Amino acid sequence: MLVRSGVNALGKVAEGRLGQAVLASSAAAATAARNGLVPESEEAASLHTAAGLVGGPTTTEGGARRSGQAASGAAAQSQWRKAYSSCVVGEQQATRRINLFTAINDALNIALEEDPKTLIFGEDVSFGGVFRCTSGLLEKHGRERVFNTPLCEQGIVGFAVGAAAVGHKPIVEIQFADYIFPAFDQIVNEAAKYRYRSGGMYSCGGLTIRTPCGAVGHGGHYHSQSPEAFFMHSPGLKVVMPSGPREAKGLLLSSIRDDNPVIFFEPKIMYRTAVDEVPMGDFTLPLGEAAVVREGTDITLVGWGTQVGVLKQAAEEVAENDGISCEVIDLQTILPWDVDTIANSVSKTGRLLVSHEAPMTGGVGAEIVSTISKECFLNLESPPTRVCGADTPFPLVWEPFYLPRQYRIVQEIKEQMNF
């Protein structure tokens, strides 16, 4: 019923009133969005300087951006966009050092600028969202394209399915991955199957669902889960999780432009802690391709999201203390996952360890271990293994014992080498 309601609501899309249709349910949110101030970030200021523009597109006194003032700087905004979209030095794309949430914001801004049919909506996104990933986007692109919704995940995704089915590019935010389950039916029975059930006449290509996931140190049951395995079992979807700011920007832009519905999991503990050199302007990384982030010869370590950093630390420890050479692979795309890159690595090393925060039973690691056991059976020196979260609800004070931390990975690497 919700997806039908989403499609019916699209009568207002044709009239250009998509934002108002949702904002009407939250007058207070609309008022706050109209009157709110968004601070000018240091990252934005540095970008404006790099682009050769003084003050950036819509800066105001006190380093703030106020809704409604962008019109007076339309020429500067146009000049800034042109410079920003072509930040290339020679044959190498210029970079800037930013954190993960800024990289997400950067990708969303590019997506909104390049296609007027791109929309962003979800709970509190017009204010920047809980993690500030959408800060400043309403002020730049207007409340018809960036707007808040009621606290109703199934309604958010149902509405997005309808919008995508008629040619829009909705980028919706589920505030925490733990709360994606009320929208499960809309995702796996509507979005994932839309193309198949219509014989290719219609699809939800262009639908991107962003959601913060994973442990954060104090999230407890309902703000710490990693539910990627639930969606790996649903043909018709793509499932992505970046491991850093560079990957976040490149993979998010590829997800938005992909002709399939994509669930984009963002490891929330990394929003501010992960910092990297990220290409300026348009930049993409291919979906469905894993990345070898550390080369080695003795054992292959596979992870995604936050766990890639943990695997790299474990690899460094065993290399220094035990002389073990680990090859670390960042999966990046969970569905469809890159069998060839992992199989080629395991054929070389003869050993495989997969690690993820989600519980072990029925996790993504089980699929990888099963496939590689068949593909590389004659090359294996020891049984492929997993180091994962426990098969319990996510704990609060016991989180350090739940997570697959470095010491557990190091122990398993040594056991593999001594098999």
Side-chain angles (χ1 to χ4, degrees):
M1 183 175 70
L2 283 167
V3 82
R4 286 197 295 271
S5 299
V7 175
N8 291 338
L10 289 167
K12 296 192 176 184
V13 177
E15 299 172 22
R17 298 200 300 270
L18 182 60
Q20 290 91 324
V22 177
L23 281 172
S25 64
S26 179
T31 302
R34 284 194 296 270
N35 298 328
L37 285 172
V38 178
E40 170 78 346
S41 67
E42 293 181 7
E43 292 86 354
S46 65
L47 174 61
H48 304 153
T49 302
L53 302 172
V54 179
T58 56
T59 55
T60 64
E61 214 172 3
R65 230 184 253 112
R66 189 181 297 275
S67 178
Q69 292 179 332
S72 61
Q77 179 84 333
S78 176
Q79 182 188 4
W80 178 83
R81 287 177 180 174
K82 183 177 180 180
Y84 181 75
S85 64
S86 58
C87 296
V88 179
V89 180
E91 294 184 357
Q92 185 176 0
Q93 194 164 359
T95 65
R96 59 174 179 148
R97 191 167 179 80
I98 57 175
N99 59 22
L100 194 143
F101 96 86
T102 307
I104 294 290
N105 182 274
D106 194 7
L108 295 175
N109 183 54
I110 291 172
L112 286 164
E113 287 184 337
E114 74 177 1
D115 190 341
K117 288 190 173 183
T118 299
L119 312 169
I120 293 178
F121 53 93
E123 299 164 12
D124 300 327
V125 298
S126 71
F127 314 137
V130 172
F131 298 103
R132 315 308 296 165
C133 290
T134 55
S135 291
L137 298 180
L138 179 145
E139 288 76 10
K140 287 183 181 180
H141 303 285
R143 62 178 53 89
E144 296 217 357
R145 299 179 65 200
V146 181
F147 51 89
N148 292 337
T149 67
L151 275 67
C152 179
E153 287 79 11
Q154 57 266 55
I156 294 170
V157 176
F159 191 56
V161 168
V166 295
H168 288 266
K169 288 187 175 180
I171 308 169
V172 302
E173 179 180 307
I174 302 298
Q175 202 163 79
F176 288 89
D178 313 68
Y179 299 124
I180 201 169
F181 298 112
F184 195 80
D185 181 63
Q186 306 299 323
I187 296 170
V188 304
N189 276 335
E190 302 297 343
K193 297 176 174 61
Y194 218 91
R195 177 182 284 113
Y196 187 83
R197 69 187 291 197
S198 67
M201 294 178 63
Y202 304 98
S203 78
C204 289
L207 167 59
T208 306
I209 301 172
R210 294 179 44 249
T211 186
C213 68
V216 71
H218 52 265
H221 298 331
Y222 301 124
H223 297 83
S224 305
Q225 298 176 75
S226 297
E228 63 268 19
F230 288 94
F231 301 99
M232 190 185 193
H233 199 63
S234 183
L237 299 176
K238 291 191 176 181
V239 182
V240 180
M241 189 185 300
S243 61
R246 182 179 183 275
E247 292 75 19
K249 179 177 179 178
L251 291 170
L252 181 54
L253 279 171
S254 292
S255 298
I256 293 167
R257 295 165 181 171
D258 198 83
D259 194 29
N260 298 276
V262 179
I263 304 180
F264 193 86
F265 288 103
E266 300 167 8
K268 56 183 173 289
I269 197 172
M270 302 179 73
Y271 275 136
R272 286 167 173 76
T273 59
V275 180
D276 198 1
E277 292 291 336
V278 178
M280 297 167 62
D282 196 3
F283 165 71
T284 59
L285 290 172
L287 301 186
E289 294 186 15
V292 178
V293 297
R294 178 190 175 105
E295 293 188 354
T297 57
D298 294 328
I299 184 171
T300 300
L301 312 180
V302 178
W304 47 94
T306 309
Q307 207 60 20
V308 174
V310 180
L311 292 175
K312 290 168 69 176
Q313 291 171 352
E316 291 170 5
E317 180 178 335
V318 296
E320 182 177 349
N321 298 337
D322 305 283
I324 300 172
S325 175
C326 300
E327 184 145 293
V328 181
I329 296 178
D330 178 4
L331 191 62
Q332 297 188 346
T333 305
I334 296 166
L335 183 69
W337 64 282
D338 186 351
V339 178
D340 290 342
T341 295
I342 299 175
N344 290 337
S345 176
V346 175
S347 295
K348 174 180 66 175
T349 65
R351 299 174 182 87
L352 171 66
L353 183 154
V354 184
S355 185
H356 53 71
E357 285 188 9
M360 176 178 285
T361 301
V364 176
E367 175 63 26
I368 296 173
V369 165
S370 174
T371 301
I372 297 302
S373 294
K374 179 181 178 182
E375 295 290 326
C376 304
F377 183 76
L378 297 178
N379 300 96
L380 292 175
E381 300 289 344
S382 63
T385 188
R386 295 166 288 163
V387 180
C388 308
D391 286 336
T392 69
F394 201 101
L396 182 57
V397 296
W398 300 110
E399 180 178 304
F401 301 97
Y402 174 94
L403 290 174
R405 294 198 162 177
Q406 182 176 335
Y407 73 93
R408 288 177 55 193
I409 295 167
V410 168
Q411 181 181 12
E412 188 61 39
I413 290 173
K414 293 179 179 178
E415 290 184 8
Q416 284 248 37
M417 297 302 299
N418 294 326
F419 180 80

